[in-house]
Amino acid sequence: MATKYPVPSSDKILALSCMNVGVGPGGTTAMLARVSIVDYKGQVMLDTYVSPTMQVSDYRTATTGIESSHLLSPDTPTFAQVQQHVADLIKGKVLIGHSLWNDLSVLGIPHPAVGTRDVALYQPFRNALRSPNQVIGLQTLMWHLMCRRCQDGQLHPVENARAALDLYRTVSSEWEGAIAIGNWPSSLPPSTFSRCYL
């Protein structure tokens, strides 16, 4: 059968994870505070805090480990600097992650849908955990599919990016094989985040 989409080489693959703080009343609106990108081997390409663009009302320190000193340091790059750096890094790459729509949304960077491999949307993972229509957390996916703990205690975006990458690598042949013949093996992201995809 003809290949519709070529299988990406490992140097075209990056994994992304972001961590947010809360802004606005009650700190319920997410704002980017840290972003991590790793390559196919899990080597860190980027791991940086981000200077806030609004007053932070909840640092979510118990889960993020982020404190004001991380974001308000004069050495912390601005959102615009980080956004441009991330956009340059991921352009033309296949992006691995968990619930990538959340990351792309806080980054304000759309990415081609065919250039994403979201382990939260991969249907065989959902079917394996008997949850075909719902997003399964990264911690649950890792424990049930790889017998490995992640996100114990505080969240860490490098660890999360590597975890999503490891999940992808366990099924990359099947995943890419399905895409190559035009059989997209994933659910669609929430329609409210359609602006995050090209």
Side-chain angles (χ1 to χ4, degrees):
M1 216 175 264
T3 299
K4 194 162 185 170
Y5 299 102
V7 175
S9 56
S10 59
D11 64 330
K12 292 281 188 196
I13 292 174
L14 295 175
L16 167 75
S17 181
C18 294
M19 198 174 295
N20 305 319
V21 290
V23 297
T28 55
T29 301
M31 182 176 66
L32 182 66
R34 187 175 177 184
V35 58
S36 301
I37 296 176
V38 300
D39 67 12
Y40 189 76
K41 295 176 183 169
Q43 298 295 312
V44 176
M45 305 285 290
L46 176 70
D47 181 27
T48 183
Y49 292 103
V50 184
S51 186
T53 55
M54 295 174 63
Q55 179 73 37
V56 177
S57 46
D58 184 0
Y59 283 93
R60 304 174 181 175
T61 306
T63 53
T64 66
I66 295 174
E67 297 179 4
S68 61
S69 59
H70 294 118
L71 306 187
L72 302 177
S73 161
D75 299 326
T76 304
T78 66
F79 174 79
Q81 290 170 324
V82 172
Q83 184 186 48
Q84 187 59 58
H85 190 47
V86 171
D88 292 343
L89 275 174
I90 69 174
K91 186 174 184 180
K93 304 289 189 188
V94 170
L95 211 49
I96 315 293
H98 181 274
S99 300
L100 278 169
W101 60 89
N102 289 324
D103 298 328
L104 295 171
S105 178
V106 293
L107 281 161
I109 303 172
H111 196 71
V114 295
T116 62
R117 305 291 184 270
D118 196 323
V119 297
L121 298 175
Y122 186 57
Q123 203 59 50
F125 287 166
R126 290 179 166 195
N127 294 344
L129 273 68
R130 297 189 174 88
S131 299
N133 299 314
Q134 69 185 76
V135 173
I136 300 166
L138 183 59
Q139 189 175 28
T140 302
L141 287 171
M142 287 299 288
W143 179 248
H144 285 281
L145 300 176
M146 298 191 78
C147 296
R148 199 170 100 200
R149 292 192 180 280
C150 81
Q151 298 182 340
D152 276 357
Q154 292 178 338
L155 303 178
H156 195 291
V158 170
E159 179 190 14
N160 290 353
R162 286 176 177 153
L165 181 65
D166 287 347
L167 283 165
Y168 165 78
R169 290 196 313 199
T170 64
V171 294
S172 62
S173 296
E174 297 90 336
W175 199 329
E176 297 303 336
I179 291 171
I181 58 170
N183 180 18
W184 193 253
S186 301
S187 302
L188 292 174
S191 59
T192 50
F193 289 90
S194 60
R195 70 186 183 284
C196 298
Y197 299 91
L198 300 171

